[in-house]
Amino acid sequence: MRFQLLGAVTARRTGADVPLGGPKPRTLLAALLLAEGRVLHADRLISIIWDETPPDSASALLHTYVSTLRRAFQQPDGAPGAILTEQSGYRIELTGCTVDLLEFARLAAEGDAAAGAGDHETAEQRYDQALGQWQGPALGGLKSRFAAAEAARLADQRLDVLEKRVDCAFALGRGAGLVGELTALVAEHPLRERLRGQLMTALWTTGRQADALRCYQTGRELLVEELGVEPGPELRALHQRILRGDAGAPEAGAPAVPKADEEPEAPGGPCLLPPDITDFTGRRTETATLTKPSARRVAISGKPGSGKSSLAVHVSHLLRARFPDGQLYVALRGAQQSPVDPGEVLGRFLRALGVPDGELPVGLDERVELYRVLSASKRLLVVLDDAADERQVRPLLPSGDGCLCVLTSRVRLAALDSTEHIDLRVLDDETGLALLTQIVGGTRIAAEPDAARTLVHLCGNLPLAVRIIGARLAARPDWRPSRLVPRLREQRKFLNELAIGDLEVRGSLALSYRGLDDPERSALRRLGWLGVPDFGAWLVSVLLSVPPDDAEDIVEGLVRAQLLDVVSNDGSAVTRYRLHDLIRVFGWERAEAEEDAEQLQLAVRRAADEWYRLVEWASGGTPVRALRPATPSPAATPELVRTDTLGEPLAWFDAEQAALVHIVERASELGLADAAVRLATALCSSSFAVENHFHHWWRTHTAALEAARQAGDLSGQGLLLAGLGWLRSEQDRLDEAADYYAQALQAYADVDDVRGKAVTRLMLSSVRREQARLPEALELLGEALPVLNELGDPRAEARGHHGRGMVLTELGRLPEALHELELALERYRSLPDDHGVALVLRSTGIVHRAAGRLVEAELACARGLALLRDVGDRLMIAYATQALVKVHIRQGRRDTGELHAELEDALATCREMQDGFGQALMLRTLGELDLVRGEPDAARRHLELALTWCDALSLPLWRARNLRDLAAAQRALGRHAESDATHAEAHALFARYGAREAGEPRMAVKTASGEAVFTEHH
C-alpha cells in the first residue's frame, strides 16, 4: 500500500487507486498518517475533522469513517486493515506501507547528512529525490483548519529542501543555470528572503548586477508594504556586497545568502519600550494589522491574560526602525484602582523628547498643546498600555501623520475616532502548543504531546496561563508535562497552580473584578458558581431576580469588561454568552468566599425551575410528548422570562442543550433532587428523544437518579428508571431496557403509584414485542389498559391500543389488530396529536399490507408519511418511507431506481441518528427491492448486513424475516441446498414465537418479462 499526502490525499494498491470516500474520511486518514503510527484520541480526531463545531453524531460518524477506511484497506486475502483501535483512539499500522511524506523526510535527512559531510553531489541528488515525492500542494482536497495548517507546514518544509538543493548547486558551480527557476519561485513566494537572496546571487554570478539590485529593491518594497518591516540583516548584507561588487559565488557548503557582518544601527530617538518578548508566538493576523504602513492608531482589547501588552510590545520592537524619532511607552494601570494621570504621563513623554524640566508646562492643557506641537513633525511610535477608558488616553494621542499610536485596554475603546480595533481572542490549539514549546523546549513537549495539548486546553488557551505553566515547567526540568495535568483538573486548586513569581492569573482577574459594579460582580459570581457552559441573558435575570432589561445591562457590562464572551446568535437569533474557563473558576471562588451558601443554592433552584418551565414550553413544538407519570410543578415564582423573546421553541432548545445537561448535573450535585428529577424527566419529551441525543439523555438521568437515591425519593427514582428504560429501548439495548423497567415497577410499587406502574407496563410491552415475547407483551397491555382507561388518560390509552394492535399484527390476528389501531386513532385525534395519528396510520398500512389490501395500505402509509413530514420527526419519516416503499414493491412499481434512492436516504438518516434497528429494517427492504430488480447478489449483501444487525440487537423475529428473504436470494443464485437450510431455520423461528409468518407459504420469486415479483403478502 502506498499513501500520498504530498498532493491529493490518495492510497494505491498494486498501482490502482483505493476508494477513500469524501473529504472527511480523507482528513481522518491524513491525520493518522501524519501521526506516523502514534495513537490519536477520538476527541482529537473529531476536532480535526470538524474543527470546533462537531455534530452530535460525531462519535458515530468517526466510527463509520474508520470502518469505511478499514474496508478499503482490507487485503484480498482477508487480512485485517491498517487502522487499529487503541487507548480510546486510533492509529495506523504502517508496516509494509509506503508514505510519500516519510520518504520525503528520509531523503531530505540523507541530503542533510551528505551536505554536512561536504558531498554536495550526493546531497543535491537526495534533495531532488525528496522533492520528486511532491505531486501538488500537500493534503489536496481537504478543507479543515487542521489540513490548512498542516499543508502550510509541509509547504514550508518543501521550500526549505528546495533552498538547500539550490545551495548545493551553487557549491557545485551550477548556480548560473538556476536564474529561471529561482525567478519563478520568488514570484510565487515574494516574501521569502532566502529565495530572493539566492536569486540575487544567481543574477550576480551571470553578470546581471543591476537586475540583482532591482530584485532586492522589489523585495524591500514588498516587505515594507505587506509587513511594515525592513529586509533581514542577511539580505541587507548581500545587497551591500553586490553594491561593492564583491558578492561572488558562495563557497562550497556556504549558504547562498551570507551572514551579515553587523546589525544595522538602532534608531536614534528615545526608546522607552520594555524588553521584547523573545518567545512571542502566533498573532500573525494581528501583527499584520499593526505593522501595515497605513496604520496610525490601533486599539487592542481583550480579556485579562490574553496577551494584549505582549503583542503591543513585540510589534513595537519590530517597528523601531520605522520610527527614528522615538518609541514612547507607558503602563497606564487602567485596571487598577488608581490609573495613571495623563498629565504625569505627558511630563515623562516631553522629557524623553528633550524638553528640560524648567520648561515643562504645569497645567494639563498646556502640556497637551506642547506634546501635539512636538509630535506633529516627528515619526513617533507611542504605546499606551492598559488604558482605563477613552478620557485617559485622548490627551496622549500624538498628532503627526508620521506617528503610530498603539493602545491596549481590557475594554473596547469604541469612542476613539479614526481607530482600528483588534479584539484579541485566546490562542488556537496549535499556537498555544507552540508557545508552550518555545518556553519549555521541544524535546520535553515532543515526549508527551498529548499531555502538553491537555495543559493548553486546561489553561483555556489563555496566553498568560500558558506562559505561567510553561515557566513552571521550565523552572523544574525534572517535571514532565503530565505532572501538572491532574493538578490543573482540580478546580479548588486551579488558580493556585497558575502562578509563578509575579505572574498570576488570579491577580490579573481580580483587577478587572474590582472595576465592576455590585450587580455585575454578583452576576459573575453566580454564573461562575453555576458553571453553565453558555447561556442567554435571561439566566442573569433569574439568578439575580432582576428585570430582564436590567439583566441585559449587567451582561453588557461584563462583556465590556472582557469578562464575558459573546458566543453567537443561536437559531432563534438570541445572543448567547460564555465565561472563559479561568474566569468561571474565579467567579466560583468569589462566590464561595463572598456569598451565603443557602442563597447560592436558592439561585440554582430558581434557574432549574425556570429551565423546567421553558422546556415544557419548547416541548410543545416537538413531535414526541413523553408518556410519563406527572411530576410536581415547581413552586410558584414570578416568571421573569418571557417566552416570546426567546424565538422559535425548537431552535431555543437546540441552543440550550449543553446548558440543560449541566444544570441537571449541578442541581444533582447540590442535592436539589426534586428540581433535578423534574427537569431530567421533562427532557425526555424534548428533542433528546426526537433527535436521539442519547449521551445527554443518559447524563441527565443518571445524575438525577443518584440525587433521588441520596434523597430517598422513590417516586423520582421510578420516573428516572423508566426514562432509562426508554433510553435503552431507543438504543435497541432491549435486555437493559427491560431491567430498568423492572426496577421502575418496583419503585412505583413501593409508593403504590398506580399510574406509574401502568405506564411502565405499557412501555415494557414494547420491549417484549421486539424481543418476540408476544404473549407477555399482550399480558402487560392487558394489565395496563384497564387502569389507564379508568384514569382517563387519552394519550396513554392511545399508546396502549396502538401497542396492542402491533402485537396482534405480529400474531397474525389482523382484524383484531385493525380494531385496536382504530381505537388508538380516535384517541390521538381527540387530543389532538398529529404525530401519534401518523404513527398509527403507518401501523394501519402494515396491517393492510399483511392482509393483501395494497390500495388501503398505500393510502394509510402515504397519509402517515405526510403528517410526519409536517411535524418534522426525521427518524419516523425514514420508517414511514420504508413502509410506503414496501407497499410499492408489493404493487410491482417499475420506478425501482427512485424507490432505491428513497431507501438509501432513509438508511442514511438511521445511521446519522445511531438507530440500529432502523438500519436493519432499511437494509432488509433494500434487499427485497434488489430481488424485485433481479439483482440477487446485491440482495444477498444487503440481507446479510441486516442479519448482522438483527443478531447484534437480539431480535429473533427480525432475524427470521431476514433469513426468509435471504433464502429467496440464495435460491435465485442457484444455491438451492443453502436456501433450503436458511428457510428451514426461518420457519422454525416463526413457529417458536407464534408469529403470523409461520402459517404463510414459502416466499417465491417469479420472473415475468424479466422482472421478479413477490407471491406472498407479508
Side-chain angles (χ1 to χ4, degrees):
M1 184 82 72
R2 176 176 173 82
F3 295 105
Q4 177 178 296
L5 296 174
L6 306 179
V9 177
T10 59
R12 295 178 68 83
R13 182 192 293 123
T14 62
D17 284 341
V18 176
L20 300 177
K24 287 184 169 55
R26 291 174 188 267
T27 301
L28 167 62
L29 174 60
L32 294 173
L33 290 172
L34 287 165
E36 298 181 17
R38 298 190 307 275
V39 175
L40 290 182
H41 193 278
D43 290 344
R44 172 64 181 149
L45 288 170
I46 287 171
S47 69
I48 285 172
I49 295 170
W50 285 280
D51 295 327
E52 296 178 1
T53 55
D56 291 335
S57 57
S59 295
L61 288 172
L62 174 62
H63 180 73
T64 299
Y65 297 153
V66 170
S67 299
T68 298
L69 293 177
R70 280 175 172 160
R71 287 194 298 272
F73 298 155
Q74 192 163 357
Q75 301 296 324
D77 60 0
I83 298 179
L84 306 177
T85 303
E86 292 184 12
Q87 305 170 13
S88 300
Y90 301 96
R91 72 176 182 88
I92 190 164
E93 176 56 60
L94 297 176
T95 303
C97 299
T98 303
V99 183
D100 59 359
L101 176 59
L102 300 184
E103 287 294 291
F104 168 77
R106 178 183 65 80
L107 290 164
E110 290 179 4
D112 291 344
D119 185 359
H120 300 290
E121 189 79 45
T122 300
E124 186 182 40
Q125 292 174 2
R126 293 294 181 270
Y127 291 142
D128 261 331
Q129 291 168 349
L131 294 168
Q133 299 295 317
W134 287 72
Q135 303 299 312
L139 308 182
L142 306 188
K143 304 296 185 184
S144 68
R145 285 206 300 268
F146 164 82
E150 288 296 310
R153 179 180 67 84
L154 295 174
D156 194 65
Q157 290 181 8
R158 176 181 176 274
L159 284 174
D160 184 60
V161 170
L162 192 150
E163 289 165 344
K164 291 176 182 177
R165 192 205 69 189
V166 171
D167 284 344
C168 290
F170 277 116
L172 294 167
R174 296 198 283 264
L178 298 176
V179 170
E181 179 184 355
L182 287 169
T183 299
L185 286 168
V186 169
E188 186 179 355
H189 307 283
L191 300 180
R192 196 166 178 98
E193 294 188 32
R194 186 177 183 186
L195 274 178
R196 187 170 294 275
Q198 289 174 328
L199 175 57
M200 291 165 59
T201 303
L203 289 167
W204 169 256
T205 58
T206 59
R208 298 166 61 181
Q209 181 185 25
D211 289 337
L213 294 173
R214 190 177 298 109
C215 178
Y216 172 81
Q217 189 60 34
T218 300
R220 179 185 177 278
E221 291 171 357
L222 278 170
L223 286 167
V224 171
E225 181 181 347
E226 295 289 331
L227 302 180
V229 297
E230 293 287 336
E234 295 177 5
L235 198 61
R236 295 201 305 273
L238 175 61
H239 177 238
Q240 292 298 317
R241 290 180 62 183
I242 294 174
L243 282 171
R244 294 194 304 266
D246 63 354
E251 299 175 2
V257 182
K259 295 290 183 183
D261 295 328
E262 57 184 355
E263 290 291 330
E265 292 184 10
C271 180
L272 306 184
L273 297 174
D276 194 6
I277 294 87
T278 57
D279 55 10
F280 187 86
T281 305
R283 305 300 193 194
R284 293 183 180 179
T285 302
E286 294 84 356
T287 299
T289 299
L290 287 160
T291 56
K292 63 184 180 182
S294 61
R296 291 294 176 265
R297 189 183 300 160
V298 184
I300 307 168
S301 59
K303 60 174 52 63
S306 60
K308 303 178 294 296
S309 299
S310 296
L311 173 62
V313 169
H314 177 67
V315 169
S316 297
H317 279 278
L318 293 178
L319 295 174
R320 282 190 62 194
R322 196 196 291 177
F323 300 97
D325 295 327
Q327 305 88 47
L328 307 179
Y329 171 91
V330 63
L332 293 171
R333 299 203 300 266
Q336 300 185 23
Q337 290 184 331
S338 300
V340 177
D341 180 71
E344 178 187 338
V345 176
L346 285 171
R348 296 184 208 170
F349 281 4
L350 291 170
R351 290 188 190 95
L353 293 173
V355 178
D357 283 348
E359 299 180 16
L360 278 177
V362 176
L364 175 63
D365 291 342
E366 291 80 6
R367 289 188 175 188
V368 170
E369 184 176 339
L370 179 58
Y371 174 63
R372 288 175 178 168
V373 169
L374 289 175
S375 64
S377 59
K378 292 183 181 294
R379 294 170 62 190
L380 291 174
L381 170 61
V382 179
V383 181
L384 306 177
D385 193 14
D386 192 19
D389 52 31
E390 293 88 346
R391 286 177 297 180
Q392 185 187 28
V393 298
R394 277 201 177 93
L396 308 178
L397 302 175
S399 60
D401 290 339
C403 299
L404 169 63
C405 184
V406 178
L407 309 99
T408 76
S409 177
R410 298 190 182 196
V411 298
R412 202 172 196 269
L413 303 174
L416 287 182
D417 298 331
S418 305
T419 302
E420 290 188 75
H421 292 275
I422 294 176
D423 296 313
L424 209 58
R425 306 300 183 190
V426 297
L427 301 173
D428 59 53
D429 289 349
E430 297 305 321
T431 306
L433 186 63
L435 175 58
L436 189 63
T437 303
Q438 286 269 27
I439 300 169
V440 179
T443 302
R444 292 168 71 187
I445 298 302
E448 290 191 327
D450 291 341
R453 287 184 183 277
T454 301
L455 284 178
V456 172
H457 287 164
L458 289 172
C459 289
N461 294 56
L462 195 70
L464 175 60
V466 175
R467 284 191 173 279
I468 291 171
I469 287 300
R472 293 191 64 188
L473 287 171
R476 292 296 303 267
D478 56 316
W479 283 8
R480 302 174 66 179
S482 57
R483 179 187 179 107
L484 288 177
V485 171
R487 300 171 73 157
L488 286 182
R489 288 194 190 280
E490 189 172 346
Q491 178 164 292
R492 290 184 178 275
K493 297 181 179 179
F494 187 28
L495 294 181
N496 294 336
E497 297 294 329
L498 296 178
I500 185 170
D502 61 348
L503 295 178
E504 183 187 19
V505 170
R506 183 187 284 111
S508 179
L509 295 173
L511 290 174
S512 293
Y513 179 71
R514 286 197 291 268
L516 302 174
D517 58 28
D518 287 341
E520 289 166 351
R521 290 183 193 174
S522 181
L524 185 68
R525 291 194 301 267
R526 293 190 177 189
L527 287 168
W529 200 72
L530 182 62
V532 68
D534 59 75
F535 55 92
W538 65 265
L539 178 59
V540 172
S541 176
V542 174
L543 288 175
L544 302 187
S545 296
V546 298
D549 289 346
D550 291 352
E552 291 279 0
D553 292 341
I554 291 168
V555 166
E556 285 305 308
L558 292 173
V559 171
R560 282 195 302 272
Q562 296 286 344
L563 294 172
L564 201 59
D565 294 326
V566 177
V567 179
S568 65
N569 285 344
D570 61 28
S572 58
V574 175
T575 303
R576 299 189 67 77
Y577 304 89
R578 176 182 295 145
L579 285 173
H580 185 277
D581 286 347
L582 302 184
I583 297 173
R584 176 186 55 76
V585 174
F586 178 82
W588 171 81
E589 280 190 353
R590 290 296 84 217
E592 293 269 292
E594 299 178 27
E595 296 224 30
D596 176 72
E598 190 172 318
Q599 289 301 312
L600 288 173
Q601 287 221 358
L602 181 60
V604 174
R605 179 182 292 279
R606 282 200 307 271
D609 288 345
E610 192 63 31
W611 255 304
Y612 170 81
R613 280 192 283 262
L614 293 175
V615 167
E616 290 289 281
W617 158 73
S619 297
T622 60
V624 173
R625 291 290 301 179
L627 190 60
R628 65 178 192 267
T631 55
S633 297
T637 56
E639 293 191 15
L640 294 170
V641 182
R642 287 174 44 201
T643 55
D644 60 358
T645 66
L646 300 181
E648 198 273 322
L650 293 184
W652 174 87
F653 185 86
D654 286 342
E656 292 286 339
Q657 285 188 37
L660 287 164
V661 172
H662 180 86
I663 189 63
V664 172
E665 292 179 332
R666 187 70 170 124
S668 301
E669 177 187 319
L670 295 171
L672 304 174
D674 56 335
V677 170
R678 186 163 49 240
L679 183 53
T681 51
L683 290 171
C684 283
S685 63
S686 69
S687 61
F688 277 18
V690 177
E691 295 294 328
N692 285 10
H693 295 308
F694 296 142
H695 181 58
H696 294 343
W697 192 338
W698 174 259
R699 283 178 57 184
T700 54
H701 271 60
T702 53
L705 179 60
E706 180 59 29
R709 283 171 171 161
Q710 292 287 336
D713 178 6
L714 288 172
S715 293
Q717 292 175 48
L719 278 166
L720 295 162
L721 288 165
L724 289 170
W726 183 14
L727 167 62
R728 288 308 193 218
S729 67
E730 288 291 308
Q731 293 177 296
D732 303 312
R733 295 161 67 168
L734 301 180
D735 288 338
E736 293 179 56
D739 182 60
Y740 278 120
Y741 284 139
Q743 294 180 57
L745 283 171
Q746 183 58 56
Y748 285 135
D750 290 343
V751 292
D752 196 26
D753 185 335
V754 175
R755 186 179 185 279
K757 287 187 291 184
V759 169
T760 304
R761 288 191 176 105
L762 181 56
M763 299 171 81
L764 178 57
S765 71
S766 297
V767 173
R768 294 310 190 203
R769 175 172 54 81
E770 293 297 337
Q771 292 176 318
R773 295 166 62 168
L774 303 178
E776 184 179 347
L778 273 184
E779 182 181 351
L780 287 164
L781 288 164
E783 294 172 339
L785 266 171
V787 175
L788 297 172
N789 289 335
E790 184 177 344
L791 292 172
D793 185 336
R795 187 179 304 280
E797 289 181 67
R799 176 79 175 268
H801 287 298
H802 187 189
R804 183 171 169 79
M806 295 170 76
V807 175
L808 292 169
T809 301
E810 298 285 25
L811 290 169
R813 295 158 59 178
L814 301 183
E816 295 174 73
L818 201 57
H819 174 69
E820 293 290 335
L821 295 176
E822 287 169 353
L823 292 175
L825 275 175
E826 288 176 8
R827 282 156 178 79
Y828 277 130
R829 283 170 174 156
S830 71
L831 286 171
D833 182 345
D834 285 347
H835 185 265
V837 169
L839 297 184
V840 177
L841 284 171
R842 175 182 177 272
S843 297
T844 301
I846 292 172
V847 173
H848 285 309
R849 190 187 72 220
R853 297 186 292 268
L854 298 183
V855 174
E856 293 89 337
E858 181 182 26
L859 179 61
C861 289
R863 288 168 58 201
L865 177 58
L867 280 175
L868 285 167
R869 284 176 173 152
D870 287 343
V871 298
D873 186 343
R874 290 196 302 143
L875 186 59
M876 289 314 301
I877 288 170
Y879 275 70
T881 297
Q882 178 272 340
L884 184 57
V885 167
K886 193 150 180 173
V887 174
H888 290 156
I889 292 173
R890 296 293 179 269
Q891 291 174 324
R893 279 255 305 255
R894 293 180 177 275
D895 54 343
T896 56
E898 182 179 337
L899 299 180
H900 190 276
E902 291 175 6
L903 286 173
E904 286 286 0
D905 287 345
L907 177 60
T909 298
C910 294
R911 282 175 175 158
E912 181 186 343
M913 301 184 71
Q914 307 171 55
D915 181 26
F917 176 73
Q919 293 179 61
L921 187 62
M922 304 309 157
L923 287 165
R924 177 185 171 230
T925 311
L926 279 166
E928 292 181 302
L929 184 58
D930 291 332
L931 285 171
V932 167
R933 298 170 73 176
E935 299 174 2
D937 196 52
R940 177 190 59 79
R941 290 193 299 271
H942 279 129
L943 293 166
E944 286 176 350
L945 283 173
L947 195 60
T948 301
W949 271 111
C950 292
D951 289 344
L953 302 175
S954 300
L955 301 173
L957 274 184
W958 292 99
R959 171 179 173 78
R961 288 166 183 154
N962 275 282
L963 286 171
R964 183 182 54 185
D965 293 348
L966 182 58
Q970 291 167 340
R971 179 167 290 275
L973 289 168
R975 292 149 58 171
H976 297 289
E978 190 176 353
S979 173
D980 289 343
T982 302
H983 181 267
E985 182 184 351
H987 188 269
L989 285 170
F990 288 138
R992 181 189 311 169
Y993 292 102
R996 70 176 188 273
E997 290 92 342
E1000 291 178 351
R1002 179 171 181 176
M1003 188 177 78
V1005 179
K1006 293 183 179 178
T1007 300
S1009 304
E1011 182 179 0
V1013 294
F1014 290 93
T1015 59
E1016 43 63 65
H1017 300 124
H1018 74 280

